[in-house]
Amino acid sequence: MYDLIRFVPLPLMRVVAQTGAWLVKLTNASIYRSIDRNLMLVNPSMADKDRAQLATEALHHQMISTADSLKSWAMPPEWSIKQIKAVHNIEIFKEGLAHPNGMLAIVPHIGTWEMMNAWINQFGKPVIMYKPVKSKAMDRFILQGRQRLNATLVPTDGTGVKAIFKTLKEGGFSIVLPDHVPDPSGGVIVPFFGIPTLTSTLASKLAQKTQCALVGLSCIRRDDNNGFEIFCYRLDDPDLYDKDIEVATQALNNAMQRMIEPHFSHYMWGYRRFKFTPFGENPYLLPFDHLHRQVITYKDGHS
């Protein structure tokens, strides 16, 4: 089934994705409820009508991004590279690659990372962590797509961390998506969009130990749906390398927020990012109105 995707036109896949987004909203499915709740957490004062409109937009972007990723995995790398129509501030990326201590690319879950992956692999052989997905068929499909590239895939465990560390020490580069929810032992609780939440320390620890260059990257679909644009960000705040892991991780969250804000609705708001918050370990299980009141009280007290 997955191999047939290469023959399905991308515009048709996007129409299917948009139809799926409409059905998701109509049935108030889990992903839509997660988007709505995340948007409330980061901006509890937003009017319900405005939040619903933004949630719908974010849902459509996320569903279309999934279709774009599927197409990217099915097609040769050259196809994905041709979809990149512009690269903003590419000199930042190239300076990072030339850094003697290596480069760690910081890639939040915004836009379509998979479409950018092929473009990045033109510049070397990055080491990237990979966690198998539950579906064996889907896992084979994703691996088939990613293994066409120059990247070396390593597991999301101590072995993988050592491989990335070694790569940076040798002046190579790696890519980290640092805005996932880690195991409690692999994170600290620091604010993200003003909400204290469990945050991975991996990227910050790698930066501390290697003093590598940190470069932010995002890949955003154009408004006219004609390809994608890559945005490169220079992440040079000294706090990103601070010996205090909470200071460094907070600086990284701040940097990601600055990357997300210009393309806010393209962020993967359907992911349940906020865990171990002041409102409970899992605020997604709380009644919406109860959580809303807690968030407003908290933000009023910390403004």
Side-chain angles (χ1 to χ4, degrees):
M1 174 184 173
Y2 294 119
D3 289 340
L4 295 176
I5 291 175
R6 75 182 65 179
F7 302 109
V8 181
L10 183 57
L12 177 58
M13 292 179 64
R14 287 174 172 170
V15 168
V16 173
Q18 288 179 307
T19 302
W22 178 79
L23 290 172
V24 163
K25 183 179 180 182
L26 183 67
T27 59
N28 195 31
S30 175
I31 185 173
Y32 181 76
R33 296 198 307 273
S34 295
I35 292 172
D36 185 54
R37 186 156 298 209
N38 280 335
L39 294 178
M40 183 276 288
L41 283 165
V42 302
N43 188 358
S45 62
M46 183 182 292
D48 291 347
K49 181 180 178 181
D50 294 337
R51 191 178 67 250
Q53 181 177 343
L54 183 56
T56 300
E57 185 178 344
L59 174 63
H60 277 259
H61 284 317
Q62 187 164 333
M63 297 289 282
I64 293 172
S65 181
T66 299
D68 292 341
S69 296
L70 288 169
K71 188 66 173 178
S72 178
W73 290 323
M75 300 299 287
E78 294 75 19
W79 181 88
S80 296
I81 293 169
K82 287 181 180 179
Q83 308 311 307
I84 306 301
K85 305 301 183 182
V87 181
H88 301 271
N89 301 314
I90 192 174
E91 70 280 359
I92 295 174
F93 179 70
K94 291 184 175 180
E95 287 171 10
L97 290 174
H99 196 285
N101 295 337
M103 180 190 79
L104 188 63
I106 301 299
V107 183
H109 287 81
I110 180 172
T112 308
W113 141 251
E114 297 296 344
M115 201 64 71
M116 179 171 61
N117 197 3
W119 179 85
I120 292 174
N121 274 257
Q122 297 178 102
F123 297 90
K125 297 181 178 181
V127 173
I128 306 174
M129 284 185 164
Y130 177 75
K131 183 177 182 179
V133 298
K134 292 181 180 179
S135 167
K136 291 184 178 180
M138 188 64 183
D139 189 59
R140 286 194 300 270
F141 179 64
I142 295 173
L143 281 174
Q144 174 183 291
R146 290 184 175 176
Q147 287 173 344
R148 294 192 187 108
L149 306 175
N150 292 324
T152 299
L153 303 180
V154 296
T156 55
D157 57 19
T159 303
V161 174
K162 288 180 181 178
I164 293 177
F165 181 75
K166 182 175 184 291
T167 296
L168 295 174
K169 293 292 285 185
E170 293 174 350
F173 73 103
S174 182
I175 301 157
V176 173
L177 284 69
D179 52 341
H180 66 283
V181 179
D183 292 330
S185 61
V188 293
I189 296 176
V190 292
F192 182 58
F193 280 91
I195 300 293
T197 188
L198 185 63
T199 302
S200 172
T201 57
L202 174 60
S204 298
K205 287 181 177 179
L206 288 167
Q208 286 175 345
K209 292 179 179 179
T210 65
Q211 296 296 300
C212 62
L214 295 174
V215 174
L217 296 174
S218 65
C219 181
I220 307 298
R221 189 181 70 259
R222 285 183 161 183
D223 290 339
D224 61 2
N225 287 324
N226 179 27
F228 297 80
E229 297 187 15
I230 291 175
F231 295 83
C232 308
Y233 301 87
R234 181 176 282 108
L235 307 184
D236 55 3
D237 181 352
D239 284 350
L240 290 163
Y241 300 88
D242 198 279
K243 292 181 179 179
D244 185 326
I245 194 61
E246 290 192 8
V247 171
T249 307
Q250 176 65 78
L252 185 59
N253 272 355
N254 293 343
M256 287 193 289
Q257 181 173 337
R258 288 192 293 272
M259 293 171 61
I260 293 164
E261 284 174 339
H263 312 284
F264 190 83
S265 64
H266 286 264
Y267 188 63
M268 193 183 290
W269 291 110
Y271 180 57
R272 295 189 169 190
R273 173 70 184 85
F274 297 98
K275 298 289 182 69
F276 295 88
T277 70
F279 324 112
E281 289 188 7
N282 190 346
Y284 302 95
L285 300 179
L286 298 176
F288 186 92
D289 291 341
H290 173 70
L291 177 62
H292 190 197
R293 289 193 295 271
Q294 286 196 69
V295 176
I296 288 177
T297 299
Y298 177 84
K299 289 212 168 185
D300 285 346
H302 291 79
S303 59

